[in-house]
Amino acid sequence: MSKTPSSSIWVLSKIKLQFFTRIRRFLQSKATRKRCDPSDEFDMAKSRAEHNNKVENLEAVQVMHKHKEEESEILLQKTVKMLHFGSCEEKEVAAKEIEKLAKEDVMVRKLITELGVVPVLVSMVASPAAGRRRAGLMALIHLADGTYTNKALIVEAGILSKLPKTIDHVDDSTICAFAELLLSLSSLANTQFPLASLHFFPLLRNILETGSSFDTKKSCLGALYNLSTVLENAGPLVSSGVVPILLEVSLVKEISEKALATLGNLLVSLMGKKAIESNSMVPESFIEILSWEDKPKCQELSVYILMILAHQSSLQREKMVQARIVPVLLEVVLLGSPLAQKRAMKLLQWFKDERQTKMGPHSGPQTPRFAMGSPLNQTDAKEGKKLMKSLVKQSLHRNVEIITQRANAAGESSKLKSLVISTSSKSLPY
């Protein structure tokens, strides 16, 4: 059956319509891709470039790090070989190179000591050549930094026997290096390594006495403090003659704190207490330090030392009264730190309660039988008490105006006046 012309035309039109519809869709999708593709391709290209850069940078860093490690390893091997088998000049150069390498980190310092360099460096410390001696010192200082093991190896290598007896002909930079090394090694005081060497303590005293810079003195004081924390070291320290020097240094504000802390540790021993009590600077030097309002820690340590000295010692208490300690203690009560105020008030209470209060094992200076003055003659004891009361009252009245002005507060002023008025009462406020 043949198709009519109208039906053929309809089929052809439908086919054309479908064709043009597909063409239009294709063109639309292509146009859309054209609008979107440039940015997408740019982002993808940028991302690929960044990734490639990261990969290249990482590879470069890894290669550089590996190359650096190889160079460091070769340099270390060469340096250690030069230190062990080189000439005196080569040993000095090697020691300086070890100092540089030891500054990197703890692991490098431990690795270097495992190569057996410590005994050679220790032997260089006793060298008569100043440059070689200083190079060995600086290398040991940096090797000991932050590692207990290296410090122990330095002591085991005999550094204490290599220390000089005197620094009379040593330059300031080398003296400072000696002090720094001694400070580092002194941290072993609480270990099984005994540091009470024949040279260790006298050298510290010599450096502290003749050293010119504050840094050198601070290092020495830090070392003495570390050593004084061990009771067994008190005797050798006192025998080495450090007490008079510590008392002198304690009057220098910049370095006073460590000196006072060391004296406080030495006071715990009988030998240390006797050495401090018998010095002509005591108690005046500690009373002077009590007036340092800008150094509260020094005030606290000074009044602590005075408390120990005053405990069960009528002679020391009498010396303190004669040195006019009472008005100074009143200033500390008004203007000192909380701890210094508490200790100063306790001392004031001791002086006021001298006559009647029975003192316990931690409550003050009184002995159970005798008051201040002669322990045998009661008449002299009464006269001594009257004299002390008179001195206290005169001192208070003479200094009350100065103290109240410094207090600069009505409340504190009234507190001070109440102290003055109550001088004949049984006790001062604590």
Side-chain angles (χ1 to χ4, degrees):
M1 180 172 130
S2 59
K3 293 183 180 179
T4 62
S6 61
S7 63
S8 297
I9 293 171
W10 182 83
V11 171
L12 183 61
S13 299
K14 186 176 181 181
I15 291 172
K16 288 181 178 180
L17 179 62
Q18 290 176 349
F19 173 75
F20 284 119
T21 302
R22 290 178 180 178
I23 290 296
R24 186 171 66 251
R25 288 176 180 172
F26 173 75
L27 292 174
Q28 288 176 348
S29 64
K30 188 175 182 181
T32 303
R33 284 198 301 273
K34 285 183 178 179
R35 288 194 301 269
C36 300
D37 283 350
S39 61
D40 291 344
E41 290 178 0
F42 177 77
D43 291 340
M44 291 177 65
K46 183 179 179 181
S47 177
R48 284 194 298 271
E50 290 177 351
H51 176 71
N52 291 336
N53 287 335
K54 288 181 180 179
V55 172
E56 290 176 1
N57 290 336
L58 180 61
E59 290 176 352
V61 169
Q62 289 176 344
V63 171
M64 188 183 301
H65 185 64
K66 185 177 180 180
H67 183 64
K68 186 177 180 181
E69 284 183 345
E70 291 176 353
E71 285 184 345
S72 299
E73 185 176 351
I74 294 172
L75 178 61
L76 182 58
Q77 290 175 354
K78 181 181 178 182
T79 301
V80 172
K81 183 179 178 180
M82 189 186 302
L83 185 69
H84 281 289
F85 306 107
S87 63
C88 293
E89 290 75 15
E90 289 176 333
K91 287 179 184 291
E92 183 177 339
V93 173
K96 291 179 180 179
E97 191 60 45
I98 287 176
E99 176 190 349
K100 294 178 182 178
L101 294 171
K103 292 179 181 179
E104 294 184 7
D105 56 53
V106 175
M107 296 306 297
V108 173
R109 292 194 281 273
K110 289 183 177 180
L111 174 62
I112 293 174
T113 54
E114 289 174 359
L115 298 175
V117 302
V118 170
V120 184
L121 293 172
V122 168
S123 66
M124 292 176 65
V125 173
S127 172
R132 194 153 57 249
R133 180 175 58 221
R134 176 169 171 75
L137 275 173
M138 296 308 298
L140 289 174
I141 288 170
H142 289 288
L143 287 175
D145 183 25
T147 160
Y148 165 85
T149 303
N150 287 5
K151 292 175 184 178
L153 288 173
I154 292 172
V155 173
E156 287 180 344
I159 186 64
L160 299 182
S161 63
K162 303 294 183 181
L163 297 174
K165 296 181 180 180
T166 179
I167 56 169
D168 293 341
H169 304 290
V170 181
D171 60 280
D172 289 341
S173 61
T174 305
I175 293 174
C176 186
F178 270 121
E180 194 172 350
L181 180 62
L182 293 176
L183 172 61
S184 180
L185 297 180
S186 69
S187 62
L188 297 174
N190 289 307
T191 67
Q192 68 269 25
F193 292 95
L195 298 178
S197 165
L198 295 175
H199 302 307
F200 200 95
F201 294 159
L203 180 59
L204 276 174
R205 184 208 65 218
N206 194 206
I207 296 175
L208 187 60
E209 194 173 17
T210 60
S212 57
S213 70
F214 277 144
D215 289 337
T216 301
K217 291 181 182 293
K218 284 180 181 178
S219 296
C220 284
L221 289 172
L224 287 171
Y225 173 76
N226 290 338
L227 295 168
S228 69
T229 58
V230 179
L231 186 60
E232 289 77 9
N233 289 335
L237 280 171
V238 173
S239 299
S240 67
V242 299
V243 170
I245 302 172
L246 286 172
L247 286 168
E248 291 179 6
V249 172
S250 66
L251 292 174
V252 182
K253 284 189 177 183
E254 292 81 359
I255 53 178
S256 174
E257 186 175 324
K258 278 295 183 190
L260 290 170
T262 305
L263 288 169
N265 288 338
L266 294 178
L267 268 174
V268 176
S269 68
L270 181 60
M271 189 174 181
K273 188 176 182 181
K274 286 183 178 179
I276 295 171
E277 283 179 339
S278 60
N279 193 280
S280 59
M281 297 179 65
V282 177
E284 286 79 5
S285 59
F286 299 123
I287 296 175
E288 179 181 341
I289 295 170
L290 288 181
S291 64
W292 294 356
E293 297 175 13
D294 57 333
K295 294 288 184 179
K297 187 64 178 178
C298 293
Q299 283 184 322
E300 293 170 3
L301 291 168
S302 183
V303 73
Y304 167 75
I305 292 173
L306 288 168
M307 288 179 72
I308 297 178
L309 292 173
H311 186 261
Q312 293 189 347
S313 175
S314 59
L315 176 61
Q316 289 299 319
R317 295 195 299 276
E318 185 177 355
K319 288 172 66 176
M320 291 177 192
V321 171
Q322 292 176 354
R324 299 180 61 194
I325 190 176
V326 172
V328 182
L329 288 174
L330 285 169
E331 293 182 27
V332 176
V333 169
L334 293 175
L335 305 172
S337 66
L339 180 57
Q341 287 178 346
K342 183 177 179 181
R343 289 173 174 173
M345 291 177 73
K346 189 65 176 178
L347 263 177
L348 284 173
Q349 182 179 350
W350 288 0
F351 286 120
K352 188 59 188 174
D353 291 349
E354 185 75 26
R355 181 172 50 187
Q356 295 179 353
T357 305
K358 292 182 179 180
M359 313 308 272
H362 62 279
S363 59
Q366 286 284 9
T367 55
R369 293 184 181 180
F370 305 110
M372 190 183 74
S374 173
L376 300 176
N377 192 321
Q378 294 300 322
T379 302
D380 291 344
K382 291 180 180 179
E383 291 179 357
K385 293 173 192 175
K386 291 179 181 179
L387 176 61
M388 185 195 72
K389 289 175 64 177
S390 175
L391 287 172
V392 170
K393 182 175 288 189
Q394 290 175 14
S395 298
L396 288 173
H397 283 292
R398 195 160 43 238
N399 292 278
V400 65
E401 292 301 328
I402 298 174
I403 300 172
T404 51
Q405 289 175 4
R406 294 177 68 180
N408 196 23
E412 299 289 28
S413 179
S414 61
K415 180 179 179 181
L416 176 63
K417 290 178 181 179
S418 66
L419 287 175
V420 177
I421 294 170
S422 62
T423 51
S424 61
S425 59
K426 291 185 177 181
S427 63
L428 287 170
Y430 175 66

